[in-house]
Amino acid sequence: MRSPPVLVVDDDPDFLDLARSILEQASPPFDVHIVTTGEQALSFLEQRHPFIDAPSPRFVVLDMRLPDMTAVDVLRKGHEWLEGIPILVVTQALWQSDAGAAREAGASAVREKPGKLAALRALLLDFGANRLDCDASRSR
Amino acid sequence: MRGPDGQLSHHDVFRHSVPIRLAAYWVLAAGCLFFSLVGLYPFPRLPILLVTLLETGVLAATYRGAMASRPMALSYLGAEGLCQTAIFHFCGELRLGVAPIVYTFELLNPGVRLGRAGHFAVANGFAALFAFLVLAEHLGLVALAEPPPWAMASVLVVLLELNVAAVFVSETRRVLEDRAVELAFARDELRSQSADLERRVTARTAEVEASYRALQDQANEHRTFVYTVTHDLKAPLNAILLRADRIDEREGTTLARESRADLSRIKSLAERGEAMLRDLMAHFEVSESPEPPDMVDLATTVRRALEPLESAIASKRLHVQISELPAVWGQPKKLTHVFGNLLSNAVKFTPTAGGRITVESHSDDGNVVICVADNGPGIPAGYERTIFNLFARVPTSDGDAGYAAGPPGTGLGLAIVRRIVEQHHGAVWVESPPGEGSRFYVRLPRRSP
């Protein structure tokens, strides 16, 4: 059986490293795909070059602040391709106004990046297993 | 005294009077025709109809000219007088009674601007026309009904009556015109004043809007700055914490005791840094977020600020006493934050046995001073000013059990308090006589400055 694909979008190598190891060590493991910019994330979702063979992800972990755009921009531009895909928006520092904007744009949940490995593991795996209480005001 | 608007309003009056005058002629003509048709009085229908038609034409064709120049006005009145005299001519026995009334009416014509002399000229011109009519009858030049014996005397009556009317009309008109000119001047003045006021309001509004925009830009810039700083500082702290966790998970049991101690010290240091950033963000969200000002009842504010502290107050068995507090003009959430912070400090640093917190206020000219006092260890001498600085901490002295026992803070609370109070154009300071606890004072203006 093939591992379910997951897309992680972030430019922080530490977070990517840890997220990858958590998701790949899950049981069953996830097929982790990593991109570091909003433009790459959109190309991946739209299966454009160089991601022509990209699978449709089971879920997406999206950093709020990317080098080229914000998570809200990605959610708005990729609206069509993100239909039905759960999206976890993570951020280093959570501002309530940003969280509202992201939810409005279609994020399933907006969370601060945990400072404990156990908490990060629980967040990613619970979200992957659909066990996370998603924010009520999701407009998708 | 002639205002530029006096002429204009006069023209308006005259223009509006024209249809009324036309209607009056036709009502008069229709009355004559009616009386002749029902046989009450034998008016000659066709001549009256024709003369009325002629009069209408004269009036319609010349009224613009009559407004513009005095000779035109006089000839206009002359034509009117002739037309009416012709009508009287056909009125038979009634002519001697009708003529003075209609001449007087004509003299009141608002369309013609004549001086006193002009009015007398017109009055006597009409009287001459009337005299001519009577004389022509008398001499048998025109064949009318039998002239009454007092026909010649009526000429004198008409002469007198029209001259009296001319005096009356020219006087009344002069008074009315003066008033109209005064009104026109007043209206002009008012108009220019209101235009000036409007200009000033517009300019001031633009000024206020511009400064509001500038403030908002500044706030946004500030916000972006704090956002970036907290975000960028949190990322490495988070990474340190997560990596340390990973080492702990992977090899925690096999590490040497010293390494384990170092690792946990690394974690606690990073956690402290993270807590400071978290506090900075939370406080910043309160102090920098826009909030419309309103009248703030400080009694409600203090009550609200005490709510989250109730369990701590109960468990430390503190005595809290709140005196009567006034209302001030300010931002309710931010002021709640100010008193929440001062009260939570008081709760934190007041001893469990016999702890006492009071909130009082007094007014000095235009300001309200609120004092939050406790009987805790107080502020060590020399730190009364610096405790309001960002990240300021009061060192623990050996004999100062209160501070040693107090939970560690991040040194942000009082800095935010000062920032909010200063945003309200107020001031905050502390007095701490040795052994008497600390007294935090907040001075706020009663009204917006």
Side-chain angles (χ1 to χ4, degrees):
Chain A
M1 199 184 90
R2 283 190 57 189
S3 305
V6 176
L7 177 64
V8 182
V9 191
D10 200 342
D11 62 325
D12 175 1
D14 289 292
F15 182 81
L16 289 173
D17 182 26
L18 291 157
R20 183 199 279 278
S21 72
I22 288 169
L23 290 165
E24 283 180 351
Q25 282 162 23
S27 62
F30 287 96
D31 174 20
V32 181
H33 296 261
I34 282 171
V35 294
T36 53
T37 66
E39 201 46 59
Q40 283 174 11
L42 290 170
S43 299
F44 186 97
L45 292 165
E46 295 167 28
Q47 298 181 316
R48 280 194 272 117
H49 177 79
F51 304 102
I52 295 170
D53 297 324
S56 176
R58 173 75 62 87
F59 69 91
V60 177
V61 179
L62 181 60
D63 186 39
M64 182 67 89
R65 290 209 322 168
L66 296 163
D68 55 343
M69 57 181 88
T70 69
V72 176
D73 297 326
V74 175
L75 290 167
R76 287 201 183 124
K77 288 184 184 168
H79 175 80
E80 207 176 306
W81 295 276
L82 286 166
E83 193 69 51
I85 302 175
I87 297 139
L88 172 65
V89 171
V90 288
T91 173
Q92 205 63 256
L94 185 64
W95 295 78
Q96 287 313 318
S97 51
D98 289 350
R103 277 187 215 111
E104 209 121 284
S108 317
V110 184
R111 292 288 188 275
E112 198 158 290
K113 287 178 181 171
K116 294 236 181 289
L117 194 57
L120 180 61
R121 188 177 288 130
L123 173 66
L124 294 178
L125 298 183
D126 284 357
F127 189 77
N130 245 335
R131 283 198 306 264
L132 190 74
D133 287 334
C134 288
D135 305 319
S137 63
R138 198 184 165 202
S139 63
R140 197 171 263 272
Chain B
M1 234 182 29
R2 289 255 151 122
D5 267 0
Q7 196 77 27
L8 193 76
S9 66
H10 171 79
H11 278 214
D12 284 346
V13 169
F14 184 44
R15 208 177 54 239
H16 294 310
S17 80
V18 171
I20 298 169
R21 296 170 63 72
L22 287 177
Y25 296 150
W26 283 98
V27 166
L28 200 68
C32 293
L33 299 185
F34 174 77
F35 283 119
S36 93
L37 276 174
V38 297
L40 277 176
Y41 189 83
F43 286 109
R45 276 168 265 168
L46 190 64
I48 285 185
L49 206 61
L50 286 176
V51 176
T52 306
L53 210 57
L54 178 69
E55 190 170 14
T56 306
V58 168
L59 189 66
T62 58
Y63 88 94
R64 278 181 194 284
M67 283 193 290
S69 80
R70 185 154 300 175
M72 275 295 279
L74 287 171
S75 49
Y76 162 84
L77 283 173
E80 287 276 276
L82 277 173
C83 287
Q84 268 146 32
T85 308
I87 291 178
F88 307 148
H89 174 76
F90 297 111
C91 285
E93 287 162 0
L94 292 181
R95 63 192 180 277
L96 298 180
V98 173
I101 297 168
V102 179
Y103 282 140
T104 309
F105 178 62
E106 200 60 41
L107 207 59
L108 291 168
N109 187 338
V112 184
R113 296 168 66 79
L114 299 168
R116 179 176 287 231
H119 280 115
F120 279 114
V122 171
N124 290 300
F126 287 157
L129 278 171
F130 183 71
F132 172 77
L133 182 68
V134 172
L135 197 65
E137 269 177 14
H138 187 73
L139 297 176
L141 293 177
V142 287
L144 294 177
E146 187 62 29
W150 43 267
M152 291 306 281
S154 74
V155 173
L156 286 176
V157 172
V158 165
L159 190 69
L160 188 68
E161 189 264 338
L162 283 179
N163 277 293
V164 169
V167 173
F168 174 75
V169 167
S170 62
E171 266 313 295
T172 317
R173 188 164 292 175
R174 195 179 57 74
V175 170
L176 287 179
E177 273 188 5
D178 284 356
R179 178 66 54 83
V181 168
E182 268 167 36
L183 281 175
F185 271 129
R187 193 178 54 189
D188 272 3
E189 179 78 359
L190 204 65
R191 205 178 281 162
S192 83
Q193 267 177 12
S194 83
D196 187 45
L197 199 66
E198 205 168 299
R199 235 182 349 260
R200 273 158 52 187
V201 166
T202 312
R204 187 91 186 98
T205 309
E207 232 170 75
V208 168
E209 272 173 4
S211 66
Y212 181 72
R213 262 198 305 279
L215 274 177
Q216 215 153 28
D217 286 351
Q218 211 181 335
N220 278 340
E221 204 176 298
H222 200 53
R223 188 185 149 87
T224 311
F225 175 74
V226 172
Y227 184 103
T228 312
V229 166
T230 48
H231 192 276
D232 291 358
L233 284 176
K234 262 193 92 187
L237 284 174
N238 236 5
I240 291 170
L241 281 168
L242 291 168
R243 298 239 176 228
D245 257 358
R246 204 152 69 151
I247 294 172
D248 216 2
E249 271 187 14
R250 214 163 38 211
E251 319 168 35
T253 47
T254 58
L255 277 178
R257 206 169 55 86
E258 288 91 340
S259 302
R260 286 243 304 272
D262 283 346
L263 192 60
S264 93
R265 181 67 183 150
I266 289 172
K267 280 207 247 180
S268 76
L269 286 172
E271 268 164 9
R272 181 154 155 233
E274 222 207 340
M276 283 165 84
L277 281 174
R278 197 178 295 280
D279 254 26
L280 185 62
M281 260 178 75
H283 287 304
F284 182 80
E285 281 218 291
V286 174
S287 69
E288 303 305 310
S289 51
E291 189 188 354
D294 202 352
M295 277 316 279
V296 183
D297 177 26
L298 289 177
T300 315
T301 303
V302 167
R303 207 167 42 242
R304 202 166 289 156
L306 277 171
E307 272 167 22
L309 301 169
E310 265 161 19
S311 66
I313 291 168
S315 73
K316 285 181 101 174
R317 296 192 310 280
L318 302 178
H319 181 73
V320 181
Q321 190 187 333
I322 296 164
S323 312
E324 205 170 299
L325 297 173
V328 294
W329 183 255
Q331 294 164 298
K333 268 193 204 149
K334 292 185 186 176
L335 289 179
T336 307
H337 189 84
V338 164
F339 290 104
N341 209 290
L342 294 179
L343 287 164
S344 102
N345 275 348
V347 169
K348 205 192 290 183
F349 293 117
T350 304
T352 301
R356 195 180 161 80
I357 297 168
T358 58
V359 183
E360 303 165 330
S361 80
H362 68 267
S363 301
D364 62 34
D365 50 349
N367 290 308
V368 178
V369 178
I370 304 104
C371 174
V372 179
D374 65 57
N375 61 347
I379 308 294
Y383 285 89
E384 289 90 345
R385 293 175 72 85
T386 51
I387 53 162
F388 293 102
N389 292 347
L390 205 57
F391 297 122
R393 304 292 311 278
V394 174
T396 310
S397 62
D398 286 332
D400 205 341
Y403 279 94
T410 50
L412 267 167
L414 289 174
I416 302 290
V417 164
R418 185 173 72 173
R419 178 151 179 85
I420 295 174
V421 172
E422 283 174 359
Q423 281 171 352
H424 281 76
H425 302 276
V428 59
W429 67 97
V430 66
E431 286 170 11
S432 186
E436 287 179 35
S438 44
R439 301 174 69 82
F440 282 88
Y441 292 93
V442 176
R443 192 183 66 223
L444 294 167
R446 216 177 256 280
R447 294 288 317 178
S448 72

